[in-house]
Amino acid sequence: EFVQVQVAEPTAPSALPARPPGAVQIFADQMSMVQERNLADARGHVRIIFEGGELTCDRMTLFTDTKDVYAQGNVRIQRGSEIFRADMAHYNINTRKGRFLRGRVAQPPWYESGRLAEHLAEGVTRVTPGGVTSCPLDPPHFRFQGRAATVFSDESIVKGRHVTLFVEDFPLIYLPWLS
């Protein structure tokens, strides 16, 4: 396992040292590590670069053996075209699964938000309770709001329970299920 720690942010992406496969780089204003507990703690403008993605937040705890990240404050994870935002998050860098409190997910063409957003598998997310839309605007012109919604982005499929279609802020129609 390899974790590289730097306190100062490099000036240019080309200034980043080469990473071994599976390595994680952490940049932050303040940083501490506890080797015997496999724990890294960072505060202030935290940025984690990992294979295939990047996480930014205000405060983070990383378990270096399992690659579990607990992040707080302005959490943003980007992997390719997927973007996850939340107030708090638990994300595993190895499995690429995570839970996002008061989360928003952008997997074009789908945009989801809810009290809890979960990345269940590659291309599969669920929000409970929450909403789904294909409108990229914030706030969206329309959304399907319900108790739970699951998006299969690779197949462009959305499934939901107890769903209401909202246009702007006006409920238009209730559907017991949506698929």
Side-chain angles (χ1 to χ4, degrees):
E1 300 298 322
F2 184 79
V3 174
Q4 181 176 0
V5 177
Q6 283 187 262
V7 176
E9 180 74 28
T11 56
S14 61
L16 293 174
R19 287 188 333 266
V24 175
Q25 290 177 302
I26 303 171
F27 304 95
D29 293 341
Q30 298 176 4
M31 181 77 186
S32 63
M33 294 207 46
V34 182
Q35 293 283 346
E36 56 275 359
R37 293 187 62 204
N38 298 316
L39 181 74
D41 190 59
R43 294 174 189 242
H45 303 100
V46 179
R47 181 175 169 218
I48 301 173
I49 300 172
F50 54 90
E51 194 171 331
E54 177 178 281
L55 181 148
T56 58
C57 62
D58 296 334
R59 181 178 180 191
M60 158 310 287
T61 300
L62 168 69
F63 290 89
T64 59
D65 54 345
T66 61
K67 299 290 195 301
D68 281 309
V69 178
Y70 294 88
Q72 295 177 347
N74 301 309
V75 179
R76 182 180 188 274
I77 297 174
Q78 182 165 359
R79 290 184 44 245
S81 64
E82 293 181 328
I83 299 174
F84 301 87
R85 295 178 185 268
D87 292 340
M88 294 179 66
H90 167 227
Y91 184 77
N92 186 286
I93 293 171
N94 289 338
T95 65
R96 298 178 178 182
K97 294 179 183 177
R99 297 170 60 98
F100 306 90
L101 295 177
R102 289 181 294 283
R104 292 181 292 157
V105 182
Q107 300 179 95
W110 302 111
Y111 302 89
E112 308 152 66
S113 63
R115 188 178 331 157
L116 176 65
E118 298 175 274
H119 188 247
L120 304 173
E122 197 65 35
V124 181
T125 56
R126 177 175 50 215
V127 290
T128 52
V132 177
T133 185
S134 60
C135 178
L137 301 176
D138 189 21
H141 290 114
F142 70 93
R143 71 185 186 282
F144 289 97
Q145 187 79 29
R147 289 187 190 167
T150 304
V151 173
F152 301 87
S153 62
D154 295 340
E155 292 88 26
S156 295
I157 296 173
V158 176
K159 293 185 178 187
R161 295 179 295 142
H162 302 286
V163 176
T164 303
L165 171 62
F166 282 83
V167 176
E168 298 293 336
D169 286 332
F170 302 103
L172 191 59
I173 188 168
Y174 168 79
L175 303 166
W177 54 271
L178 174 70
S179 182

